[in-house]
Amino acid sequence: MGMGRMLEDYFRTRIREEWTYTEVGGYWTRDETVEVDIVVCDDIDRKAHIIEVKRNPKKMDMNDLIVKGSRMVSDLKGYEVTYAGLSMDDVLKDPL
């Protein structure tokens, strides 16, 4: 397992342990052309967070994340959707 995958797993675990959300996972299209590292949904408050994880925050491309997230819009209809980036700089901070 690579360092990037370990960082994704770390943030997923922290979010599951520290926050109350209905679902925490990733998103891939069937052809695997689109991948979103972490998707967090709160079905009660109708909120969703679409999150990209990068070891180096300088490699974060929020516009690319928004484009990737737009593939999920039909599944998140009626949800307040936010986009975020997490990196090694965020390991000791509140992830959301």
Side-chain angles (χ1 to χ4, degrees):
M1 178 184 302
M3 183 64 137
R5 177 60 191 236
M6 287 175 31
L7 191 58
E8 289 174 29
D9 288 345
Y10 166 80
F11 281 119
R12 277 192 198 107
T13 300
R14 283 217 25 226
I15 291 167
R16 280 187 189 110
E17 291 175 354
E18 297 176 15
W19 296 90
T20 304
Y21 290 104
T22 312
E23 297 176 52
V24 178
Y27 172 83
W28 299 266
T29 55
R30 288 183 191 256
D31 61 4
E32 297 185 13
T33 56
V34 174
E35 175 189 349
V36 176
D37 297 327
I38 302 174
V39 180
V40 180
C41 291
D42 179 346
D43 293 336
I44 296 166
D45 291 331
R46 309 286 289 173
K47 293 182 180 183
H49 304 282
I50 298 174
I51 303 167
E52 182 80 8
V53 177
K54 296 281 188 198
R55 289 184 308 167
N56 181 346
K58 293 178 182 174
K59 293 189 176 187
M60 195 79 57
D61 184 344
M62 294 307 290
N63 290 326
D64 184 50
L65 180 61
I66 291 168
V67 169
K68 289 181 192 180
S70 70
R71 298 285 298 260
M72 301 169 45
V73 169
S74 62
D75 294 332
L76 298 172
K77 191 171 188 173
Y79 282 71
E80 176 187 333
V81 178
T82 60
Y83 297 88
L86 295 172
S87 71
M88 292 295 292
D89 291 352
D90 300 303
V91 167
L92 298 176
K93 298 177 186 173
D94 185 351
L96 294 177

